[in-house]
Amino acid sequence: MTDFLDQQIAKRTKRNPEFPALFEAALERREIGRLLAEAREAAGKTQVALAKEIGTSQSQVARIETGSRDVRLSTLTSYAAALGLELVIQAREARRARPHKPAVSGASR
């Protein structure tokens, strides 16, 4: 038996075979953002104070924490450092194979 979410994913995947990978990436960004927000709150800092420390805006910090923006590694490193944390990245075997989209070269505009 499938639920509504499963149905929506299947429907979207029919239109765009890359949808499952895009959906998974969005979930990962959201989880990273949630962890960062928890760390900021545990450090007793507001989004405004953190933004000032890392040289960005409060709205950018909010976008990072909600996972609505694909953030550069340097921004994540600065965010962690402002909280007295070290960003650690660990490679692991993928949970699912993601379709590889080769770069397009020589495309005319």
Side-chain angles (χ1 to χ4, degrees):
M1 183 165 167
T2 61
D3 64 9
F4 178 74
L5 182 58
D6 290 333
Q7 292 169 1
Q8 291 301 309
I9 291 171
K11 187 186 219 181
R12 296 271 183 110
T13 301
K14 275 186 175 181
R15 288 188 293 204
N16 179 0
E18 293 183 20
F19 181 76
L22 296 171
F23 184 74
E24 186 69 26
L27 287 177
E28 289 172 359
R29 283 193 310 272
R30 188 174 176 186
E31 177 64 11
I32 290 168
R34 185 188 64 75
L35 292 170
L36 291 172
E38 286 178 3
R40 176 187 53 76
E41 290 169 359
K45 294 189 181 189
T46 65
Q47 288 182 343
V48 172
L50 181 69
K52 189 176 283 188
E53 281 187 59
I54 64 174
T56 192
S57 65
Q58 176 275 327
S59 59
Q60 176 65 8
V61 170
R63 285 191 286 274
I64 291 167
E65 292 181 355
T66 60
S68 63
R69 179 79 37 112
D70 197 3
V71 184
R72 293 185 320 213
L73 181 58
S74 60
T75 302
L76 292 175
T77 301
S78 296
Y79 190 114
L83 299 175
L85 302 173
E86 178 182 14
L87 183 66
V88 177
I89 298 174
Q90 180 179 4
R92 66 175 184 215
E93 192 170 323
R95 288 177 282 212
R96 287 188 232 164
R98 291 188 180 165
H100 175 68
K101 186 175 182 180
V104 177
S105 62
S108 59
R109 293 182 184 217

